[in-house]
């Protein structure tokens, strides 16, 4: 502390005391001013700036008490005044303090202590001054604080409250009782402050004097373990502002979400990037994740990064930042539009940027779709080879385009501004105007066709017209698409020919005839006439196809159609396809397929009238056809059905005519037969038989019987013929004569024949395993013989049964051998090479060609039982059998005679050198279980009949 400028006024009427105090003050470093009485003290005080006053209490004139009182009145309580007194009574001391004394010194004075006492008192004065200044400053600070300040004791009672005018509302809160929850919060905060030694903060809501709720913020600090200082601030307005800010932020966020618009802020100095919530969502990044410009660029589509970086660099140089680019969000590509404004420093350096980013994916996709649609439309228009033109509501050309010049009758530029009637032929223009009117009413017209002479010749066009609507007050235009349908029209005509006419003969096909027949039935039903349906089938046509070839067969079918077309009646014309109009015939002819023809005869008076036509057909067909150098005669079997007697619809009539035709074939062919109900019953029986036949093999209804064949030389049984039998569960045994032809016709003979062969081979293998020496003969159908799988099937079955081929003999008919030619010979040779034997069955009943007998690898001939039956009395049969045996002997074949029923027949056949005999005289066909009983028998044909038997 420096004391050079500190002046201390010393007033005492005692000169020694005055000098002593002056010296002590000066020695302590102060500057003394000495006065001998009260009046002089006041004068010196007024003349000098005195910092402290020492007054003797008892002075003449104005004593120290009076001077002290004056000084207090003039300068206030801050000036330190020390009263020097020799009086030690309490009353004098109290009088000094009442006058305004700061302190007192008692006489007698100790010179060395006076300086120290003054020094002490001065320091105390300075401290009081500093404290006063501090109090003033604190008071100013506290007055400026808009908070309520109060103290709480340990029990939570408010000790005092200080509040300025600003905080008066918050102070009102403390005049009453705080809510329990608020007081509990205060106590908890005070406890935390004491425990942690820091400032705690709480917020709460209270209602003051029955008004609206207000929000308060309080900061609490523990003064000691007994008191805590609390500051309370009314934050209601802040809370309202924060709520408004949140609401505004929410509305902004919602608006950004609805608009797919986000915002961002970039501080270029720190590279700090801030995104709005919508921007985070748009980029697929969790809100609050730190982002910067490189992170943003990583979200940009790789193909767009360079362009975005270039646009940003241009913006840093002063250009406008607006760019449209793609971003990749979870592997999904989206389009965004970015715009930003930059702020610059005084020297032009960019400081920060604020911008928006908008998701424009939908708009961009629509734009791309529009561009793609425009490109596709243009490509479509370029690809359309049709004539496309537009006309106004008056039919005046406004545009015209065509890729193919051959489709134009006029150059496009020549028709613009002209009407349809001025450009096109009258009829064509009329059709176009009609299509335009239809499009005006319905919005579209399609299907109308016109013919035009173009640069490429006469063409057919199909019109498609649509209305092109403009504004409400604008008349519509019309778009014409004119498609060249010439080829389609020609194809349609061709399809009509294919659909309704037989391409080989030019006659109506079955579909066409069915429609005409249905119409004719309806017409006939309204009158009294009859309608005849004839179904013709050419006899033996398959044989001609197989022997002379299908080309010759097709030619014969065409010639047959011509004969039928022109020869049914001298004055009748049978209908034929033609592009020209023609008069409907009275008799119509059709070829439904194959070698069948159908004739429809309307307007008959009697059903027998159809027979006249049928006889004329048979007569016409009996004239030979010239095929190369040979004459070919085709006969026909005809079935007749009459409406309404034999059916009331087309299908029924055709079905019954077909039934009658098959009956004609059964009658020996080359004849005609009317339909009868009995024929249907027979056909139904045949159909049922066919259905049952298809299931018989699956149901194991077939079984085999074996008829022994006697070896004449040994008198023993060395071979058996396997014969199939059918035991139907309801009908019982069905004759092979009934089901074998049907099986051949339906093709079922193939699986049935394979079953017979497999079963017979397996059975013979069993007999061989028991020591019997046997061979089994199995009949082959001509259908089996024509199968390309025959050789593989036979060899496979032999292998499965482990049967030597020498133990198998296959019996074939003459018909199967004679009609096949080279193929037959190849099959026979292939099978014969395996070691099995072939027997020619029913020899003498068919062709009996000697040349075939020489060429074919046969080993046995079977004499048909029809010849054996006449022995020994029928000379013709005897001569035939003798000729057959003689022929077989000379050709090296063995001979088997079947149908032996008497001893006389057996003896005469033995005498004719037959090798084997078969018939009821020896044994009927037996099931496998009964065969063992005859294998041990021996027959001696030289003995009388009663002696023939077992040895």
């Amino acid at each position: 502390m420096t004391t050079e400028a500190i002046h201390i006024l010393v007033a005492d009427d005692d000169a020694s005391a005055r000098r002593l105090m002056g010296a002590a003050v000066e020695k302590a470093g102060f500057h003394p001013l000495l006065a001998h009485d009260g009046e002089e003290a006041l004068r010196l005080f007024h003349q000098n700036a005195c910092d402290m006053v020492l007054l003797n209490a008892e002075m003449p004139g104005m004593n120290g008490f009076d001077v002290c009182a004056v000084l207090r009145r003039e300068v206030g309580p801050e000036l330190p005044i020390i009263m020097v007194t020799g009086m030690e009574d309490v009353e004098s001391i109290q009088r000094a303090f009442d006058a305004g004394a700061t302190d007192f010194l008692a006489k007698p004075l100790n010179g060395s202590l006076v300086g120290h006492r003054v020094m002490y008192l001065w320091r105390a004065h300075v401290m009081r001054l500093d404290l006063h200044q501090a109090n003033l400053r604190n008071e100013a600070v506290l007055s400026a604080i808009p908070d309520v300040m109060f103290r709480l004791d340990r029990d939570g009672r408010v000790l005092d409250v200080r509040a300025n005018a600003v905080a008066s509302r918050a102070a009102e809160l403390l005049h009453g009782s705080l809510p329990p929850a608020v007081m509990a919060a205060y106590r908890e905060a005070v406890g935390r402050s004491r425990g942690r030694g820091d400032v705690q903060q709480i917020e709460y809501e209270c209602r003051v004097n029955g008004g609206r709720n207000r929000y308060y913020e309080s900061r609490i600090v523990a003064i000691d373990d007994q008191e805590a200082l609390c500051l309370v601030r009314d934050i209601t307005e802040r809370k309202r502002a924060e709520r408004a800010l949140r609401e505004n932020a929410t509305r902004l966020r919602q608006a950004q979400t609805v608009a797919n618009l986000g915002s961002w802020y970039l501080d270029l100095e720190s590279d700090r990037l801030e995104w709005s919530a919508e921007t985070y969502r748009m980029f697929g990044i969790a809100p609050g994740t730190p982002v910067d410009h490189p992170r943003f660029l990583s979200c940009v589509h790789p193909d767009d990064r360079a362009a975005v970086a270039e646009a940003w660099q241009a913006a840093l140089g002063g250009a406008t930042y607006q760019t449209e680019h793609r971003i990749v969000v979870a592997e999904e590509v989206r389009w965004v539009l970015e715009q930003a404004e930059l702020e610059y420093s005084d020297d032009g350096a960019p400081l920060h940027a604020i911008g928006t980013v908008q998701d424009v994916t939908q708009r961009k996709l629509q734009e791309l779709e529009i561009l793609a649609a425009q490109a596709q439309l243009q490509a479509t228009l370029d690809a359309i080879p049709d004539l496309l033109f537009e006309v106004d509501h008056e039919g005046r050309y406004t545009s015209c385009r065509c890729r193919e010049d051959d489709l134009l009758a006029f150059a496009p530029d020549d028709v613009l501004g002209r009407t349809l009637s001025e450009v096109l032929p009258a009829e064509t223009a009329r059709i176009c105007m009609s299509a335009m009117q239809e499009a005006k009413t319905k919005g579209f017209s399609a299907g109308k066709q016109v013919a035009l002479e173009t640069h490429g010749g006469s063409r057919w066009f199909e019109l498609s017209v649509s209305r092109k609507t403009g504004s409400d007050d604008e008349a519509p235009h019309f778009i014409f698409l004119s498609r060249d349908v010439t080829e389609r029209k020609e194809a349609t005509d061709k399809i009509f020919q294919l659909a309704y006419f037989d391409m080989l003969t030019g006659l109506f096909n079955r579909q066409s005839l069915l429609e005409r027949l249905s119409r004719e039935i309806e017409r006939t039903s309204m009158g009294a006439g009859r309608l005849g349906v004839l179904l013709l089938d050419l006899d033996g046509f398959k044989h001609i196809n197989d022997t002379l070839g299908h080309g010759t067969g097709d030619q014969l079918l065409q010639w047959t159609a011509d004969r039928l077309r022109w020869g049914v009646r001298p004055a009748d014309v049978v209908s034929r396809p033609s592009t020209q109009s023609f008069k409907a015939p009275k008799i119509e002819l059709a070829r439904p397929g194959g070698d069948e023809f159908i004739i429809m005869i309307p307007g008959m008076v009697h059903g027998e009238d159809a027979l006249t036509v049928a006889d004329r057909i048979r007569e016409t067909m009996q004239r030979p056809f010239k095929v190369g150098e040979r004459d070919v005669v085709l006969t026909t079997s005809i079935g007749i059905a009459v409406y309404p007697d034999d059916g009331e619809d087309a299908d029924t009539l055709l079905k019954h005519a077909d039934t009658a035709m098959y009956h004609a074939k059964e009658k020996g062919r080359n004849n005609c037969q009317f339909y009868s109900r009995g024929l249907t019953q027979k056909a139904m029986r045949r159909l049922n038989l066919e259905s049952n036949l298809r299931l018989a093999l699956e149901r194991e209804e077939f079984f085999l019987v074996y008829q022994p064949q006697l070896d004449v030389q040994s008198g023993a049984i060395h071979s058996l013929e396997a014969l199939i039998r059918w035991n139907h569960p309801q009908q019982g045994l069905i004759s092979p004569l009934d089901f074998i032809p049907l099986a051949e016709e339906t093709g079922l003979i193939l699986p049935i024949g394979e079953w017979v062969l497999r079963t017979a081979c397996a059975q013979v293998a069993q007999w061989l395993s028991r020591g019997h020496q046997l061979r089994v003969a199995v009949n082959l159908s001509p259908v089996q013989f024509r199968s390309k799988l025959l050789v593989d099937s036979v060899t496979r079955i032999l292998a499965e049964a482990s049967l030597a081929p020498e133990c198998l003999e296959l019996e074939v008919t003459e018909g199967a051998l004679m009609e096949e030619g080279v193929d037959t010979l190849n099959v026979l040779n292939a099978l014969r090479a395996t070691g099995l034997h072939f027997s020619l069955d029913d020899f003498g009943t068919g062709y009996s060609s000697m040349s075939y007998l020489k060429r074919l690898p046969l080993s046995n001939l079977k004499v048909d039982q029809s010849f054996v039956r006449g022995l020994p009395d029928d000379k013709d049969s005897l001569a035939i059998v003798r000729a057959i045996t003689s022929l077989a002997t000379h050709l090296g074949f063995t001979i088997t005679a079947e149908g032996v029923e008497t001893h006389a027949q057996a003896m005469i056949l033995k005498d004719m050198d037959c090798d084997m005999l078969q018939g009821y005289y020896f044994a009927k066909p037996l099931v496998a279980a009964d065969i063992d009983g005859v294998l041990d028998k021996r027959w001696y044909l030289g003995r009388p009949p009663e002696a023939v038997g077992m040895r």
Side-chain angles (χ1 to χ4, degrees), residues 598-613:
I598 298 175
I599 295 177
M600 182 179 68
I601 310 173
M604 295 192 310
V605 178
H606 304 287
E608 292 77 8
D609 294 343
L611 187 59
T612 303
V613 178

Side-chain angles (χ1 to χ4, degrees), residues 665-824:
K665 284 188 174 295
E666 292 175 357
K667 289 292 185 179
R669 304 185 180 186
N670 193 22
N671 70 93
C672 57
Q673 297 290 326
F674 280 92
Y675 169 77
S676 68
R677 188 175 301 276
L679 293 179
T680 299
Q681 294 173 352
K682 181 179 179 181
M684 289 302 298
R685 287 195 299 271
R686 184 176 182 275
L687 182 61
N688 291 334
L689 184 65
E690 179 182 342
S691 299
N692 289 327
L693 186 61
R694 293 183 181 276
L695 298 173
L697 192 61
E698 178 182 339
R699 295 175 177 174
E700 299 182 353
E701 295 174 4
F702 293 121
F703 67 95
L704 295 185
V705 295
Y706 302 88
Q707 186 168 29
Q709 295 176 337
L710 177 69
D711 181 70
V712 175
Q713 292 297 324
S714 65
I717 302 299
H718 292 312
S719 62
L720 305 167
E721 181 180 5
L723 302 170
I724 188 170
R725 295 292 184 267
W726 180 9
N727 185 19
H728 191 276
Q730 283 81 37
Q731 303 178 34
L733 288 175
I734 299 176
S735 171
L737 296 177
D738 292 333
F739 71 81
I740 291 297
L742 183 60
E744 292 180 332
E745 182 180 334
T746 59
L748 292 172
I749 194 65
L750 293 175
I752 292 174
E754 185 171 326
W755 177 85
V756 170
L757 185 61
R758 179 176 286 106
T759 303
C761 289
Q763 182 60 56
V764 171
Q766 292 183 21
W767 285 321
L768 290 174
S769 67
R770 294 201 289 267
H772 298 292
Q773 297 298 317
L774 283 175
R775 181 168 62 198
V776 66
V778 178
N779 290 279
L780 274 187
S781 165
V783 178
Q784 288 178 274
F785 208 80
R786 289 193 291 269
S787 174
K788 296 181 179 180
L789 303 177
L790 178 62
V791 177
D792 292 338
S793 177
V794 172
T795 54
R796 183 179 68 255
I797 290 173
L798 286 172
E800 291 173 358
S802 300
L803 184 67
E806 294 79 7
C807 297
L808 175 63
E809 182 177 86
L810 298 179
E811 294 187 5
V812 294
T813 63
E814 289 185 85
L817 295 177
M818 301 309 169
E819 67 181 16
E820 299 300 333
V822 176
D823 291 339
T824 300

Side-chain angles (χ1 to χ4, degrees), residues 353-513:
I354 185 169
T356 60
V357 56
Q358 184 175 15
D359 189 332
V360 295
T361 303
Q362 293 301 321
R363 189 256 297 167
K364 194 66 178 181
L365 292 178
Q366 290 173 356
E367 290 178 358
L368 294 176
E369 287 178 2
I370 292 173
L371 292 175
Q374 291 175 343
Q376 184 177 5
L377 176 61
Q378 186 60 47
T380 302
L381 291 175
D382 293 341
I384 292 177
D386 306 322
L387 175 62
L388 190 68
F389 59 91
E390 181 177 344
V391 299
D392 61 16
H393 67 287
E394 296 179 343
R396 193 176 306 277
Y397 287 90
T398 59
S399 67
C400 181
R401 68 174 300 280
C402 183
R403 200 181 69 182
E404 305 290 341
D405 292 340
D406 290 345
L407 299 182
L408 297 176
F410 303 93
D413 293 340
D414 294 341
V415 302
L416 298 181
R418 301 169 64 188
T419 65
L420 294 169
S421 300
E422 294 172 341
V423 174
L424 300 175
E427 179 61 17
T428 302
R430 184 192 66 78
I431 295 174
C432 289
M433 292 300 292
S434 173
M436 192 176 81
Q437 289 301 317
E438 182 180 358
K440 182 178 180 180
T441 303
K442 300 180 179 179
F444 187 80
S445 174
K448 289 182 171 57
Q449 295 185 351
V450 297
L452 272 179
E453 291 295 329
T454 68
H455 295 158
S458 180
R459 313 290 293 180
W460 278 92
F461 295 91
E462 184 175 86
L463 301 177
S464 297
V465 186
S466 63
R467 185 183 63 215
K468 178 183 175 183
T469 305
S471 59
D472 295 338
D473 57 349
E474 184 181 358
H477 282 212
F478 299 89
I479 305 297
F480 278 75
L481 189 144
S482 180
R483 174 162 295 173
D484 184 358
V485 294
T486 306
E487 294 182 358
R488 190 182 77 189
K489 192 170 182 61
E490 292 173 351
T492 301
D493 294 340
K494 183 67 175 177
I495 291 172
F496 178 80
Q497 296 290 326
L498 293 173
Y500 290 96
F501 295 95
D502 173 46
M503 298 308 295
L504 179 64
T505 63
L507 300 177
F508 291 124
N509 60 16
R510 183 182 185 87
Q511 179 62 33
S512 180
L513 184 77

Side-chain angles (χ1 to χ4, degrees), residues 795-945:
T795 54
R796 183 179 68 255
I797 290 173
L798 286 172
E800 291 173 358
S802 300
L803 184 67
E806 294 79 7
C807 297
L808 175 63
E809 182 177 86
L810 298 179
E811 294 187 5
V812 294
T813 63
E814 289 185 85
L817 295 177
M818 301 309 169
E819 67 181 16
E820 299 300 333
V822 176
D823 291 339
T824 300
L825 187 60
N826 291 337
V827 172
L828 287 172
N829 287 330
L831 290 173
R832 187 69 181 89
T834 65
L836 59 77
H837 301 275
F838 277 104
S839 178
L840 186 59
D841 196 13
D842 300 334
F843 184 71
T845 61
Y847 294 91
S848 301
S849 171
M850 299 302 106
S851 62
Y852 272 88
L853 290 178
K854 290 174 60 178
R855 294 169 52 195
L856 298 177
L858 302 173
S859 55
N860 182 63
L861 297 182
K862 292 191 74 173
V863 180
D864 188 69
Q865 60 181 338
S866 63
F867 302 127
V868 174
R869 190 178 302 117
L871 299 178
D873 299 326
D874 187 347
K875 294 181 179 180
D876 291 337
S877 296
L878 185 62
I880 292 174
V881 174
R882 183 174 285 113
I884 291 174
T885 56
S886 176
L887 176 64
T889 301
H890 284 85
L891 292 177
F893 298 147
T894 58
I895 302 172
T896 300
E898 57 183 354
V900 179
E901 297 183 356
T902 67
H903 178 72
Q905 291 172 345
M907 292 304 297
I908 195 170
L909 289 170
K910 176 180 180 297
D911 293 339
M912 290 183 185
D913 296 329
C914 284
D915 299 285
M916 285 172 289
L917 302 181
Q918 176 182 346
Y920 280 19
Y921 179 68
F922 303 103
K924 294 181 179 182
L926 303 171
V927 295
D930 297 336
I931 289 296
D932 288 326
V934 299
L935 293 180
D936 294 331
K937 283 186 177 183
R938 294 293 183 271
W939 281 265
Y940 297 98
L941 298 181
R943 299 180 182 182

